[in-house]
């Protein structure tokens, strides 16, 4: 089960206006949404866990689930 499939339907409260993600940030969020860990994402993208965390944090999310919820609500992933 992916993280995105377990999110509540109404994500309107999570929207951040004017967010444009880089290709790297989008890749990271898509893999995290599939349920991969930061370590697994980093391994797939040949990046460190810290780079993965930094790319995820661009949305000012509290955690991975929150980051994915924001990205989904903005139709970014």
């Amino acid at each position: 089960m992916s993280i995105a499939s377990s999110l509540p339907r109404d994500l309107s409260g999570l929207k951040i206006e004017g967010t444009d993600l880089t290709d790297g940030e989008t890749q990271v969020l898509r893999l995290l949404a599939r349920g991969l860990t930061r370590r697994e994402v980093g391994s797939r993208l040949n990046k460190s866990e810290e780079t993965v965390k930094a790319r995820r944090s661009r949305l000012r999310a509290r955690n991975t689930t929150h980051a994915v919820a924001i990205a989904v609500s903005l139709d970014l992933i």
Side-chain angles (χ1 to χ4, degrees), residues 63-74:
N63 54 42
T64 297
T65 302
H66 190 217
V68 171
I70 292 168
V72 167
S73 75
L74 295 171

Side-chain angles (χ1 to χ4, degrees), residues 2-7 11 14 21 25-26 28-36 56 59 61-77:
S2 68
I3 293 171
S5 67
S6 65
L7 296 173
L11 301 173
L14 300 174
L21 297 180
E25 290 165 339
T26 301
V28 164
L29 286 168
R30 283 184 176 146
L31 292 172
L32 290 171
R34 294 167 123 186
L36 276 68
R56 181 204 75 194
L59 293 175
R62 293 184 300 270
N63 54 42
T64 297
T65 302
H66 190 217
V68 171
I70 292 168
V72 167
S73 75
L74 295 171
D75 293 324
L76 299 172
I77 60 170

